[in-house]
Amino acid sequence: QVQLVQSGAEVKQPGASVKVSCKTSGYSFTDHYLHWVRQAPGQGPEWMGWINPDRGGTSYAQKFQGRVTLTRDTSVSTAYMELSSLKSDDSAVYYCARDMGSTSNWFQFEYWGQGTVVIVSS
Amino acid sequence: QSVLTQPPSVSAAAGQKVIISCSGSSSNVGSNYVSWYHRLPGIAPKLLIYDNDKRPSGIPDRFSGAKSGTSATLAITTLQTGDEADYYCATWDGSLGVLVFGGGTTLTVL
């Protein structure tokens, strides 16, 4: 079955960077775009961007341009999200999610990782 | 402030029906597919509806979606206590160039 398993919780100081992994299994890694979505307490989800695991192409929400980097390692079917220059309002649960489309983006997500809590605090 | 507007909360008795609305604009709901998710505390969001009105396998037909113009709705019939969760709509916004989510609606089953 399709699984997305994320790395564990992180506590970071303001100004630091965090890198979250999303290991996939149960399907061909290069067949579906992967997205990253975060949700801060009391707020709705916020889309951060996507990566094409096949060719490595990426697209980021303008809000995160210059601070977020999405990468992937096809040899281990894993995607990564790195967010730099962390601020307290970056504290949130970060999710990876698999796009429903095969080789194209539908921006609709049937499979999600379990979420990674990132706390930014001095 | 979310681009997509949802009521903060809805409630209904077990066994009854509830409808959650999602209001947007021509650049998002009006021109793109809408999906719906629910999220239980501490659990990842789960897709309930995609392409406005389609259900993924495993989602019961108690859940249905519809779209008209710049508004979408999620209907849940025969409410169960296990349906208590936060519900979110989402769609692509062509003007902003981002996937946008509603602020979420908390469903309480009385």
Side-chain angles (χ1 to χ4, degrees), chain A residues 90-108:
Chain A
D90 290 318
S91 296
V93 181
Y94 289 75
Y95 295 98
C96 58
R98 195 192 84 168
D99 199 282
M100 290 190 76
S102 180
T103 69
S104 65
N105 258 327
W106 289 16
F107 291 94
Q108 300 176 105

Side-chain angles (χ1 to χ4, degrees), chain A residues 65-78:
Chain A
Q65 285 275 2
R67 281 211 304 143
V68 69
T69 304
L70 301 183
T71 56
R72 94 291 190 218
D73 183 342
T74 56
S75 68
V76 289
S77 301
T78 299

